[in-house]
C-alpha cells in the first residue's frame, strides 16, 4: 500500500490536477465552473477530482443539486511534512559541510576571501 505522501505527489503530478488545486485556493467550486477554466471537459475534470479526492486533497459537499469541491487542508499535511523533512535534511547537510570546512581550517563563508595580491589595501 502506498503512503499518503506518495498518493499526494502522484495526484499532483498531473498539470491539470495542479491547476484544479490552484483554482480551488480561491474557494469551493462546482465541476462545471472548474471545467470552464481548463482545456478538458467536465467528465475529465470529474475524473481528476476523484483522484484528488482519493489522495485526500479535495473534498466535496452537496449544496442543493450541485456538488461543490474544495481543498481539504488536512490532506496537504503529508506534503508539508515531506517538504519539511527534505528542507531539514538539506540544512543539516549544509551545517555539517560548514563544520567540516571549519575543522579543516578553511573558514566559513562569512570569512573574507584571501588576499590574492594585485590590489593595495
Amino acid at each position: 500500500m502506498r503512503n499518503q505522501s506518495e498518493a499526494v505527489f502522484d495526484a499532483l503530478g498531473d498539470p491539470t490536477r495542479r491547476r484544479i488545486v490552484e483554482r480551488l485556493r480561491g474557494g469551493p467550486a462546482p465541476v462545471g465552473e472548474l471545467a470552464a477554466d481548463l482545456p478538458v471537459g467536465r467528465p475529465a475534470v470529474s475524473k481528476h477530482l476523484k483522484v484528488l479526492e482519493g489522495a485526500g486533497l479535495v473534498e466535496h459537499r452537496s449544496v442543493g443539486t450541485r456538488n461543490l469541491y474544495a481543498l481539504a487542508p488536512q490532506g496537504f499535511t503529508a506534503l508539508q511534512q515531506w517538504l519539511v523533512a527534505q528542507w531539514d535534511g538539506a540544512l543539516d547537510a549544509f551545517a555539517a559541510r560548514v563544520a567540516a570546512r571549519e575543522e579543516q581550517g578553511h573558514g566559513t563563508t562569512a570569512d573574507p576571501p584571501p588576499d590574492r595580491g594585485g590590489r593595495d589595501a
Side-chain angles (χ1 to χ4, degrees):
M1 179 179 260
R2 298 183 316 165
N3 66 32
Q4 184 63 28
S5 62
E6 286 180 19
V8 169
F9 279 112
D10 287 348
L12 294 174
D14 182 275
T16 300
R17 289 194 282 269
R18 288 193 305 271
R19 287 195 54 204
I20 291 170
V21 167
E22 289 168 0
R23 165 53 186 84
L24 290 175
R25 285 192 326 225
V31 175
E33 198 174 297
L34 293 169
D37 296 336
L38 296 168
V40 296
R42 287 175 59 129
V45 171
S46 292
K47 288 180 183 180
H48 285 297
L49 285 165
K50 272 191 168 226
V51 172
L52 291 167
E53 192 170 15
L57 298 172
V58 168
E59 56 195 11
H60 80 276
R61 61 185 166 91
S62 296
V63 177
T65 59
R66 296 178 3 167
N67 283 322
L68 290 180
Y69 290 85
L71 293 180
Q74 69 278 8
F76 288 86
T77 301
L79 174 62
Q80 180 184 19
Q81 289 172 343
W82 186 89
L83 290 170
V84 166
Q86 300 314 303
W87 183 247
D88 287 348
L91 289 177
D92 290 345
F94 178 73
R97 176 70 183 231
V98 168
R101 286 184 56 84
E102 287 176 350
E103 287 177 11
Q104 295 171 356
H106 292 290
T108 67
T109 57
D111 292 337
D115 184 18
R116 303 249 185 244
R119 285 169 123 189
D120 292 331

